[in-house]
Amino acid sequence: QVEMVASGGGSVQAGGSLKLACSASGYNEKSYCLGWFRQAPGKGREGVAAIADDGTTKYADFVQGRFTISVDGAKRTLYLQMNGLKPEDTAMYYCAAESFVPGVAPQLCAADYRFVHWGPGTQVTVSS
């Protein structure tokens, strides 16, 4: 059973930084795609970033080099370092996971991948 618990959200001013963390378990640790997506009030789900088991990372266009996704396999923790935050980044952020057969994840893993496993989100609020 996949379990994902995100943390690290908060309130910051525009231009500030936050580092989100996600405790992850239950996915195939040798063949996976892990990612972050967000949802703002009244808006649909929006993919932010993803990382595959081979280390390949993918980002949404709006990230524009401001965010970095990483994973610490030993700690089973997924991270999202967010710098240069903007008010439009305000949203609930969720971490998610998908397991694949070996060799497939790098081909399918994308920032907008429609993950089916995710956990409670963490709120990020950016004020102007």
Side-chain angles (χ1 to χ4, degrees), residues 31-48:
S31 182
Y32 62 80
C33 176
L34 304 178
W36 293 91
F37 65 90
R38 67 188 188 184
Q39 188 162 18
K43 295 188 177 181
R45 176 171 142 178
E46 184 176 46
V48 177

Side-chain angles (χ1 to χ4, degrees), residues 6-7 9 20 36-39 46 48 62 66-67 80 82 85-86 88-95 119-126:
S7 62
L20 306 184
W36 293 91
F37 65 90
R38 67 188 188 184
Q39 188 162 18
E46 184 176 46
V48 177
F62 63 79
R66 301 179 295 131
F67 299 173
L80 184 68
M82 303 188 295
L85 284 162
K86 305 175 181 179
E88 52 263 42
D89 293 318
T90 295
M92 187 72 78
Y93 283 70
Y94 300 86
C95 55
T122 186
Q123 178 68 38
V124 172
T125 302
V126 185

